[in-house]
């Protein structure tokens, strides 16, 4: 009889095929678009190209998932934390 492990770590985010939900949705949109291309194309090279593209996209998305710091452009915390409203005027000299 097969035994199943109880999922105890409920705080982890949902993952499908190793991808978060948003990246999995992007992968599914890519697969649907590639299926349309395969249906309406008559070239063997295009079919192979689409399959290679989907495989490369999956590998790239899993790498991005494992290392999210690659695309982090902004700093994690602001330079100044204040409750004052920002008027947009800068009174400091350059």
């Amino acid at each position: 009889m097969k035994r199943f492990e109880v999922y105890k770590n409920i705080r982890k985010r949902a993952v499908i095929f190793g991808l978060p939900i948003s990246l999995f949705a992007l992968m599914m949109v890519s697969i649907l678009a590639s299926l349309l291309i395969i249906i309406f194309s008559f070239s063997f090279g295009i079919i192979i190209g689409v399959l290679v593209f989907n495989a490369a996209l999956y590998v790239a998305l899993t790498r991005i998932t494992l290392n999210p710091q690659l695309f982090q452009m902004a700093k994690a915390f602001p330079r100044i934390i204040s409750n004052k409203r920002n008027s947009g005027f800068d009174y400091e000299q350059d």
Side-chain angles (χ1 to χ4, degrees), residues 5 18-19 22 36 46 48 62 74 78-80 92:
E5 190 176 313
L19 297 172
S22 60
L36 286 173
I46 292 176
I48 296 299
T62 53
R79 208 167 35 100
I80 298 172
E92 297 176 3

Side-chain angles (χ1 to χ4, degrees), residues 25-80:
L26 177 69
M27 187 71 200
M28 286 300 111
V29 168
S30 171
I31 288 174
L32 289 175
S34 66
L35 285 175
L36 286 173
I37 291 171
I38 289 173
I39 288 171
F40 293 114
S41 72
F42 298 106
S43 172
F44 186 69
I46 292 176
I47 294 172
I48 296 299
V50 165
L51 294 175
V52 169
F53 173 75
N54 281 332
L57 180 66
Y58 178 72
V59 169
L61 291 177
T62 53
R63 296 277 168 97
I64 290 170
T65 303
L66 294 177
N67 192 5
Q69 292 86 14
L70 292 174
F71 293 104
Q72 184 177 4
M73 301 295 177
K75 293 182 179 178
F77 296 104
R79 208 167 35 100
I80 298 172

Side-chain angles (χ1 to χ4, degrees), residues 10-30:
I10 197 69
R11 293 188 182 196
K12 282 188 176 181
R13 62 183 178 190
V15 174
I16 303 173
F17 292 121
L19 297 172
I21 301 296
S22 60
L23 294 180
F24 179 74
L26 177 69
M27 187 71 200
M28 286 300 111
V29 168
S30 171

